[in-house]
Each structure stands twice: as structure tokens, then as C-alpha cells.
Amino acid sequence: MYEAYWNLKERPFQNTPDPRYLYLSPQHEDVLMKLTYAIAQGLGCALLTGVFGCGKTLIARVILRDLGNQRFCWAYVNNPAFSEPAELIRAILRSLSPQILPEKKTELLLDPLLERLYNVLLDNVREGKENVIVIDEAHIIEDTSILEQLRLILNFQTEDRFLLTLLILGQPELKSKIDALKPLSQRIAVRCHLGTLNEEEVGKYIAYRLKIAKGSDSANECEDIFDKEAAKLIFLHTGGIPRKINTLCDFVLLSGFAKKVNRIDSSFIDKVIKEFNLS
Ligand SMILES: Nc1ncnc2c1ncn2[C@@H]1O[C@H](COP(=O)(O)OP(=O)(O)OP(=O)(O)O)[C@@H](O)[C@H]1O
Ligand SMILES: [Mg+2]
């Protein structure tokens, strides 16, 4: 809607996990490196916690995008609020290998599903492929038997290796849920946490997303849209949470277009916060 006015090819601040827009702050870079290492070295299980909207799902999407399909098979489960372990295993199988999903009711029992999963994982490994299973939003798991089942699938090993790498993602309370289950907690080889962006990073984040949306090579060019001081107010208002930054900046660009503003400065942002009731 406002793209042409701001000389952009697309809207820069959409709240979607689009890997092209990943701004690598030092902590995002560190998390990406650690999770990639866990997969590459077959360490078994890694945990990523972080406040809402800070980039956990985006990082997972970037990792899945970058895993070559020839070498990796992956499953992505993003709503693990299951009431029984069989549902978890079925969701993993559905994502990993939809064509072999069991249809008979008797095959929806846990043991045959586990056997099927084990065979799929083993076949992939025999074909020279690595298995990666991502469980996103894991903080919503209430039933400890589901977390216990995650531990049990980590027992899928041969003599010298895990048959899969499990990445568990969720909001900060996930850490205490997992720590309460010592056998699972002990199996987590890599733990990382994503916090909010600091003021300087917020400025770089905005510039980076504008650069991608412009299809431009230079982030400096983006200073023609947002005034330097603008990042400070955006940081103060959003607490450095990328999802909140996106929402605010999207409305700011929209409102700037509607009011035919030449450049976004702090006082304009302040007006938009009030106008859109953003808290
Ligand atoms: N480092 C980043 N670079 C660019 N965009 C980011 C970054 N981190 C987060 N975002 C953007 O912020 C939004 C929210 O990110 P994401 O969905 O990954 O958060 P989350 O940590 O998974 O949140 P939740 O706990 O609510 O699931 C997305 O639109 C995403 O593109
Ligand atoms: Mg998420």
C-alpha cells in the first residue's frame, strides 16, 4: 500500500518468519552458530528459549532453509499441545514423511507409531541423511508425558550416534519445565537464550529490514526514511522486541504515507503510538 511512496519493493516490517529478513545481532548470530553446531555434530538435543517475538521461530526457519535437502530430512511441529504421546509422534511423522502416515485406527497406538518413526529415521540415516526434528512453542506443553516422550525418542540411537537431532524452542518458562525433569534436562547438549535487542541493535535492525525491502546494497540509504533519533524512541517503546518493532514501524510507514510525511522523526512516532493506541 505504502511501498511506492517510500520507494520500497515490499513491506519491510511484516510479522512473518521470512529468512531473508534475518538481522544477525550478536546474540542471534551466537544462537545460530550453536544450534547449527548441535546439528552438524549430531549432539542429540538443543534448547532455545527466549521472550515472545524475539526471533526463535525465525532462527528455526533459517536453519531449516539452510539444511540441504539432499543431506537432511526434517520435521517441524509448531503446536505441541498434545494430550497424549501418540499425537506427538504422529505429528512428527506427518511432517517428516507424510506419504507413510498410518491410516488404520490400530496404527494410531503409540507403539506402532514409535516403531514406524524409528524405521523412518533409520532408513534416512542409512541413505546418508541426517534427521532434524524441531518442536516449536514447547512452553505450551502441559502434559509431562509429552516431554517424557521427547526424551524417549532421543534414545533412538545406534551404537555410535543419535538417529536425530531434536531442537526444542519456547518461551523462558520452558527452561524450568525441562529442568524439573532431570532425565530430559541432562540430555540437552546445547542451551541458548535470546533476549531483546539493545538501542544500537534496534537502529541496525530497522536499517537492515529497510535495506532488504528496498533491494538496496546500502543500509545508510535507509536513513532517508527514519531519522537517526527515531530508533531511540522505537527502542524505548518496544523494549527491543522485534515483533513489537515490526508492528510499530509498519504503522509508522502507513501513517507517514497517509499524511505525506517526508521523513520519520521521534515526534511523528510518538503521534503514531498515540493514534494507534500502541502500548
Ligand atoms: N533477528 C531478527 N531479524 C529480523 N527479524 C526478526 C528477528 N527476530 C525476530 N524477527 C521478526 O520478529 C517477528 C517475531 O519473531 P519470531 O516469530 O521468530 O519470534 P518468537 O521468538 O518465535 O516468538 P514467540 O515466542 O511468540 O513464538 C517475526 O516477524 C520475525 O521476522
Ligand atoms: Mg515462535
Short mmCIF file of all heavy atoms in Angstrom, two decimals, residues 13-18 21-25 28 50-60 136-137 139 169-172 194 197 205 208-209 241-244 246, ligand 1:
data_model
loop_
_atom_site.label_atom_id
_atom_site.label_comp_id
_atom_site.label_asym_id
_atom_site.label_seq_id
_atom_site.Cartn_x
_atom_site.Cartn_y
_atom_site.Cartn_z
N PHE A 13 8.26 -4.59 7.34
CA PHE A 13 8.09 -4.96 8.75
C PHE A 13 6.91 -5.91 8.96
O PHE A 13 6.11 -5.74 9.86
CB PHE A 13 7.94 -3.70 9.62
CG PHE A 13 9.15 -2.82 9.56
CD1 PHE A 13 9.14 -1.62 8.84
CD2 PHE A 13 10.33 -3.19 10.19
CE1 PHE A 13 10.27 -0.82 8.77
CE2 PHE A 13 11.47 -2.41 10.12
CZ PHE A 13 11.44 -1.21 9.42
N GLN A 14 6.84 -6.92 8.11
CA GLN A 14 5.76 -7.89 8.29
C GLN A 14 6.16 -8.89 9.37
O GLN A 14 7.31 -9.34 9.41
CB GLN A 14 5.53 -8.64 6.99
CG GLN A 14 5.10 -7.71 5.87
CD GLN A 14 4.61 -8.48 4.68
OE1 GLN A 14 3.59 -9.14 4.74
NE2 GLN A 14 5.35 -8.40 3.60
N ASN A 15 5.20 -9.27 10.19
CA ASN A 15 5.50 -10.23 11.25
C ASN A 15 5.40 -11.66 10.75
O ASN A 15 4.55 -12.44 11.17
CB ASN A 15 4.55 -10.00 12.44
CG ASN A 15 5.13 -8.98 13.40
OD1 ASN A 15 6.34 -8.99 13.65
ND2 ASN A 15 4.30 -8.11 13.93
N THR A 16 6.29 -11.99 9.83
CA THR A 16 6.34 -13.37 9.32
C THR A 16 7.80 -13.84 9.42
O THR A 16 8.71 -13.02 9.32
CB THR A 16 5.91 -13.43 7.84
OG1 THR A 16 6.66 -12.44 7.12
CG2 THR A 16 4.43 -13.16 7.67
N PRO A 17 8.00 -15.14 9.63
CA PRO A 17 9.38 -15.61 9.80
C PRO A 17 10.10 -15.79 8.45
O PRO A 17 10.45 -16.91 8.05
CB PRO A 17 9.21 -16.95 10.54
CG PRO A 17 7.85 -17.42 10.16
CD PRO A 17 7.01 -16.21 9.84
N ASP A 18 10.29 -14.69 7.75
CA ASP A 18 10.91 -14.75 6.42
C ASP A 18 12.43 -14.70 6.59
O ASP A 18 12.99 -13.68 7.00
CB ASP A 18 10.41 -13.55 5.61
CG ASP A 18 10.97 -13.53 4.19
OD1 ASP A 18 11.96 -14.24 3.93
OD2 ASP A 18 10.41 -12.80 3.36
N TYR A 21 14.93 -11.74 5.92
CA TYR A 21 14.96 -10.54 6.76
C TYR A 21 15.75 -10.72 8.05
O TYR A 21 15.78 -9.82 8.88
CB TYR A 21 13.52 -10.12 7.10
CG TYR A 21 12.88 -9.31 5.99
CD1 TYR A 21 12.11 -9.91 5.01
CD2 TYR A 21 13.10 -7.94 5.91
CE1 TYR A 21 11.55 -9.17 3.98
CE2 TYR A 21 12.54 -7.18 4.89
CZ TYR A 21 11.76 -7.80 3.93
OH TYR A 21 11.21 -7.05 2.92
N LEU A 22 16.37 -11.87 8.22
CA LEU A 22 17.08 -12.11 9.49
C LEU A 22 18.22 -11.12 9.69
O LEU A 22 19.18 -11.10 8.92
CB LEU A 22 17.64 -13.54 9.54
CG LEU A 22 18.49 -13.82 10.80
CD1 LEU A 22 17.62 -13.82 12.06
CD2 LEU A 22 19.23 -15.13 10.68
N TYR A 23 18.11 -10.31 10.71
CA TYR A 23 19.20 -9.41 11.10
C TYR A 23 20.00 -10.15 12.17
O TYR A 23 19.45 -10.55 13.20
CB TYR A 23 18.63 -8.09 11.64
CG TYR A 23 19.59 -7.36 12.55
CD1 TYR A 23 20.79 -6.85 12.04
CD2 TYR A 23 19.33 -7.22 13.91
CE1 TYR A 23 21.70 -6.21 12.88
CE2 TYR A 23 20.23 -6.58 14.75
CZ TYR A 23 21.41 -6.08 14.23
OH TYR A 23 22.32 -5.47 15.06
N LEU A 24 21.28 -10.33 11.90
CA LEU A 24 22.10 -11.10 12.83
C LEU A 24 22.71 -10.19 13.89
O LEU A 24 23.83 -9.70 13.73
CB LEU A 24 23.20 -11.85 12.07
CG LEU A 24 22.79 -13.17 11.42
CD1 LEU A 24 23.95 -13.79 10.67
CD2 LEU A 24 22.22 -14.16 12.43
N SER A 25 21.99 -9.97 14.96
CA SER A 25 22.58 -9.28 16.11
C SER A 25 23.60 -10.27 16.69
O SER A 25 23.53 -11.47 16.38
CB SER A 25 21.50 -8.97 17.15
OG SER A 25 21.12 -10.17 17.81
N HIS A 28 21.77 -13.26 18.07
CA HIS A 28 21.17 -14.13 17.05
C HIS A 28 22.26 -14.95 16.34
O HIS A 28 22.07 -16.12 16.03
CB HIS A 28 20.38 -13.30 16.03
CG HIS A 28 19.06 -12.81 16.56
ND1 HIS A 28 18.92 -11.61 17.21
CD2 HIS A 28 17.81 -13.37 16.56
CE1 HIS A 28 17.65 -11.45 17.58
NE2 HIS A 28 16.97 -12.49 17.19
N GLY A 50 13.53 -17.98 24.86
CA GLY A 50 13.60 -16.55 24.61
C GLY A 50 12.24 -15.92 24.77
O GLY A 50 11.22 -16.60 24.63
N VAL A 51 12.24 -14.61 25.04
CA VAL A 51 10.96 -13.93 25.21
C VAL A 51 10.17 -13.96 23.91
O VAL A 51 10.74 -14.14 22.83
CB VAL A 51 11.15 -12.46 25.67
CG1 VAL A 51 11.70 -12.41 27.07
CG2 VAL A 51 12.03 -11.68 24.71
N PHE A 52 8.85 -13.75 24.02
CA PHE A 52 7.99 -13.78 22.84
C PHE A 52 8.44 -12.73 21.81
O PHE A 52 8.82 -11.63 22.20
CB PHE A 52 6.52 -13.56 23.24
CG PHE A 52 6.31 -12.26 23.96
CD1 PHE A 52 6.01 -11.10 23.25
CD2 PHE A 52 6.46 -12.18 25.32
CE1 PHE A 52 5.84 -9.88 23.91
CE2 PHE A 52 6.31 -10.98 25.99
CZ PHE A 52 6.01 -9.83 25.29
N GLY A 53 8.42 -13.14 20.56
CA GLY A 53 8.69 -12.19 19.48
C GLY A 53 10.15 -11.81 19.29
O GLY A 53 10.46 -10.84 18.61
N CYS A 54 11.07 -12.60 19.86
CA CYS A 54 12.48 -12.20 19.77
C CYS A 54 13.22 -12.93 18.63
O CYS A 54 14.40 -12.67 18.40
CB CYS A 54 13.20 -12.43 21.10
SG CYS A 54 13.29 -14.16 21.50
N GLY A 55 12.56 -13.87 17.95
CA GLY A 55 13.21 -14.46 16.78
C GLY A 55 13.48 -15.96 16.84
O GLY A 55 14.21 -16.48 15.99
N LYS A 56 12.88 -16.68 17.77
CA LYS A 56 13.15 -18.13 17.87
C LYS A 56 12.66 -18.87 16.62
O LYS A 56 13.38 -19.66 16.02
CB LYS A 56 12.47 -18.73 19.12
CG LYS A 56 12.91 -18.09 20.42
CD LYS A 56 12.20 -18.68 21.61
CE LYS A 56 10.71 -18.42 21.68
NZ LYS A 56 10.34 -16.99 21.83
N THR A 57 11.40 -18.59 16.25
CA THR A 57 10.84 -19.29 15.08
C THR A 57 11.61 -18.90 13.82
O THR A 57 11.89 -19.75 12.96
CB THR A 57 9.34 -18.95 14.94
OG1 THR A 57 8.67 -19.44 16.11
CG2 THR A 57 8.73 -19.60 13.72
N LEU A 58 11.96 -17.62 13.73
CA LEU A 58 12.70 -17.18 12.55
C LEU A 58 14.05 -17.91 12.44
O LEU A 58 14.43 -18.38 11.36
CB LEU A 58 12.92 -15.65 12.61
CG LEU A 58 13.75 -15.04 11.49
CD1 LEU A 58 13.09 -15.30 10.13
CD2 LEU A 58 13.92 -13.54 11.70
N ILE A 59 14.75 -18.03 13.57
CA ILE A 59 16.03 -18.74 13.56
C ILE A 59 15.83 -20.19 13.10
O ILE A 59 16.60 -20.72 12.29
CB ILE A 59 16.67 -18.74 14.99
CG1 ILE A 59 17.13 -17.33 15.36
CG2 ILE A 59 17.79 -19.76 15.11
CD1 ILE A 59 18.55 -16.99 15.02
N ALA A 60 14.75 -20.83 13.61
CA ALA A 60 14.49 -22.22 13.21
C ALA A 60 14.25 -22.30 11.71
O ALA A 60 14.75 -23.19 11.02
CB ALA A 60 13.29 -22.77 13.97
N ASP A 136 8.55 -26.45 18.15
CA ASP A 136 8.45 -25.02 18.45
C ASP A 136 7.32 -24.81 19.48
O ASP A 136 6.46 -25.68 19.65
CB ASP A 136 8.14 -24.25 17.15
CG ASP A 136 8.51 -22.77 17.25
OD1 ASP A 136 8.82 -22.29 18.36
OD2 ASP A 136 8.47 -22.08 16.21
N GLU A 137 7.32 -23.68 20.14
CA GLU A 137 6.28 -23.35 21.13
C GLU A 137 6.18 -24.42 22.22
O GLU A 137 5.08 -24.70 22.72
CB GLU A 137 4.90 -23.22 20.46
CG GLU A 137 4.86 -22.28 19.28
CD GLU A 137 4.57 -20.84 19.67
OE1 GLU A 137 4.22 -20.59 20.82
OE2 GLU A 137 4.75 -19.96 18.82
N HIS A 139 6.84 -24.42 25.21
CA HIS A 139 6.40 -23.98 26.55
C HIS A 139 4.91 -24.27 26.78
O HIS A 139 4.46 -24.28 27.91
CB HIS A 139 6.67 -22.48 26.74
CG HIS A 139 6.01 -21.63 25.71
ND1 HIS A 139 6.56 -21.42 24.46
CD2 HIS A 139 4.83 -20.97 25.72
CE1 HIS A 139 5.75 -20.67 23.76
NE2 HIS A 139 4.68 -20.38 24.49
N LEU A 169 12.18 -25.44 21.17
CA LEU A 169 12.10 -23.97 21.24
C LEU A 169 10.92 -23.54 22.09
O LEU A 169 9.85 -24.16 21.99
CB LEU A 169 11.84 -23.41 19.84
CG LEU A 169 12.94 -23.19 18.81
CD1 LEU A 169 13.87 -24.34 18.68
CD2 LEU A 169 12.32 -22.85 17.46
N GLY A 170 11.09 -22.48 22.86
CA GLY A 170 9.94 -21.99 23.61
C GLY A 170 10.27 -20.77 24.45
O GLY A 170 11.42 -20.35 24.54
N GLN A 171 9.23 -20.22 25.04
CA GLN A 171 9.40 -19.02 25.87
C GLN A 171 10.11 -19.38 27.18
O GLN A 171 10.23 -20.57 27.51
CB GLN A 171 8.03 -18.37 26.08
CG GLN A 171 7.55 -17.78 24.75
CD GLN A 171 6.16 -17.17 24.78
OE1 GLN A 171 5.55 -17.04 25.82
NE2 GLN A 171 5.67 -16.80 23.61
N PRO A 172 10.61 -18.37 27.90
CA PRO A 172 11.53 -18.64 29.02
C PRO A 172 11.04 -19.67 30.06
O PRO A 172 11.85 -20.40 30.62
CB PRO A 172 11.69 -17.26 29.67
CG PRO A 172 11.50 -16.31 28.54
CD PRO A 172 10.45 -16.92 27.66
N LEU A 194 17.60 -16.25 23.76
CA LEU A 194 17.54 -14.99 23.01
C LEU A 194 16.85 -13.93 23.86
O LEU A 194 15.72 -14.15 24.33
CB LEU A 194 16.71 -15.16 21.74
CG LEU A 194 17.42 -15.62 20.46
CD1 LEU A 194 16.39 -15.75 19.34
CD2 LEU A 194 18.54 -14.67 20.05
N LEU A 197 16.72 -6.78 21.85
CA LEU A 197 17.78 -6.00 21.20
C LEU A 197 18.07 -4.75 22.01
O LEU A 197 17.15 -4.18 22.63
CB LEU A 197 17.35 -5.59 19.78
CG LEU A 197 16.97 -6.72 18.81
CD1 LEU A 197 16.47 -6.12 17.48
CD2 LEU A 197 18.14 -7.65 18.55
N TYR A 205 18.69 -3.04 13.18
CA TYR A 205 17.60 -3.94 12.78
C TYR A 205 16.69 -3.24 11.78
O TYR A 205 16.35 -3.77 10.72
CB TYR A 205 16.82 -4.35 14.04
CG TYR A 205 15.56 -5.15 13.81
CD1 TYR A 205 15.58 -6.54 13.78
CD2 TYR A 205 14.32 -4.51 13.64
CE1 TYR A 205 14.42 -7.26 13.58
CE2 TYR A 205 13.16 -5.23 13.44
CZ TYR A 205 13.21 -6.61 13.41
OH TYR A 205 12.06 -7.34 13.21
N TYR A 208 18.42 -2.68 8.51
CA TYR A 208 18.61 -3.92 7.75
C TYR A 208 17.32 -4.33 7.04
O TYR A 208 17.31 -4.65 5.85
CB TYR A 208 19.09 -5.05 8.68
CG TYR A 208 19.34 -6.32 7.92
CD1 TYR A 208 20.49 -6.45 7.12
CD2 TYR A 208 18.42 -7.36 7.92
CE1 TYR A 208 20.70 -7.59 6.36
CE2 TYR A 208 18.63 -8.51 7.18
CZ TYR A 208 19.77 -8.62 6.41
OH TYR A 208 19.97 -9.74 5.66
N ARG A 209 16.20 -4.26 7.76
CA ARG A 209 14.93 -4.68 7.15
C ARG A 209 14.54 -3.74 6.02
O ARG A 209 14.01 -4.17 4.98
CB ARG A 209 13.82 -4.78 8.21
CG ARG A 209 14.07 -5.92 9.20
CD ARG A 209 12.84 -6.26 10.01
NE ARG A 209 11.81 -6.90 9.24
CZ ARG A 209 11.36 -8.15 9.42
NH1 ARG A 209 11.87 -8.92 10.35
NH2 ARG A 209 10.41 -8.63 8.66
N ILE A 241 11.93 -5.62 21.36
CA ILE A 241 11.35 -6.91 20.91
C ILE A 241 11.00 -6.79 19.42
O ILE A 241 10.15 -5.97 19.04
CB ILE A 241 10.08 -7.26 21.72
CG1 ILE A 241 10.45 -7.45 23.19
CG2 ILE A 241 9.39 -8.50 21.16
CD1 ILE A 241 9.26 -7.69 24.11
N PRO A 242 11.65 -7.60 18.57
CA PRO A 242 11.44 -7.43 17.13
C PRO A 242 9.99 -7.43 16.68
O PRO A 242 9.61 -6.62 15.84
CB PRO A 242 12.21 -8.62 16.53
CG PRO A 242 13.33 -8.84 17.51
CD PRO A 242 12.72 -8.58 18.85
N ARG A 243 9.15 -8.29 17.25
CA ARG A 243 7.75 -8.31 16.78
C ARG A 243 7.07 -6.96 17.05
O ARG A 243 6.31 -6.46 16.22
CB ARG A 243 6.97 -9.45 17.44
CG ARG A 243 5.56 -9.58 16.86
CD ARG A 243 4.75 -10.70 17.50
NE ARG A 243 5.21 -12.01 17.12
CZ ARG A 243 5.47 -12.99 17.97
NH1 ARG A 243 5.31 -12.81 19.26
NH2 ARG A 243 5.89 -14.17 17.54
N LYS A 244 7.37 -6.37 18.21
CA LYS A 244 6.77 -5.08 18.54
C LYS A 244 7.37 -3.97 17.66
O LYS A 244 6.67 -3.03 17.27
CB LYS A 244 6.97 -4.77 20.03
CG LYS A 244 6.18 -5.69 20.94
CD LYS A 244 6.35 -5.34 22.41
CE LYS A 244 5.41 -4.25 22.83
NZ LYS A 244 5.47 -4.01 24.30
N ASN A 246 8.36 -4.38 14.61
CA ASN A 246 7.71 -4.52 13.30
C ASN A 246 6.34 -3.86 13.29
O ASN A 246 5.99 -3.13 12.36
CB ASN A 246 7.55 -6.00 12.94
CG ASN A 246 8.86 -6.65 12.54
OD1 ASN A 246 9.86 -5.95 12.38
ND2 ASN A 246 8.87 -7.96 12.40
N1 LIG B 1 16.88 -11.14 14.25
C1 LIG B 1 15.78 -10.84 13.55
N2 LIG B 1 15.88 -10.29 12.32
C2 LIG B 1 14.78 -9.94 11.60
N3 LIG B 1 13.53 -10.13 12.03
C3 LIG B 1 13.36 -10.68 13.25
C4 LIG B 1 14.46 -11.06 14.07
N4 LIG B 1 13.99 -11.58 15.21
C5 LIG B 1 12.66 -11.54 15.10
N5 LIG B 1 12.27 -11.01 13.94
C6 LIG B 1 10.91 -10.77 13.46
O1 LIG B 1 10.08 -10.62 14.59
C7 LIG B 1 8.88 -11.36 14.43
C8 LIG B 1 8.72 -12.32 15.58
O2 LIG B 1 9.77 -13.29 15.53
P1 LIG B 1 9.51 -14.83 15.87
O3 LIG B 1 8.15 -15.23 15.43
O4 LIG B 1 10.66 -15.60 15.34
O5 LIG B 1 9.55 -14.77 17.46
P2 LIG B 1 9.46 -15.94 18.51
O6 LIG B 1 10.62 -15.79 19.41
O7 LIG B 1 9.28 -17.24 17.82
O8 LIG B 1 8.14 -15.53 19.31
P3 LIG B 1 7.05 -16.46 20.07
O9 LIG B 1 7.67 -16.87 21.38
O10 LIG B 1 5.88 -15.55 20.28
O11 LIG B 1 6.75 -17.63 19.19
C9 LIG B 1 8.94 -12.07 13.10
O12 LIG B 1 8.23 -11.33 12.15
C10 LIG B 1 10.39 -12.03 12.72
O13 LIG B 1 10.57 -11.89 11.35
#
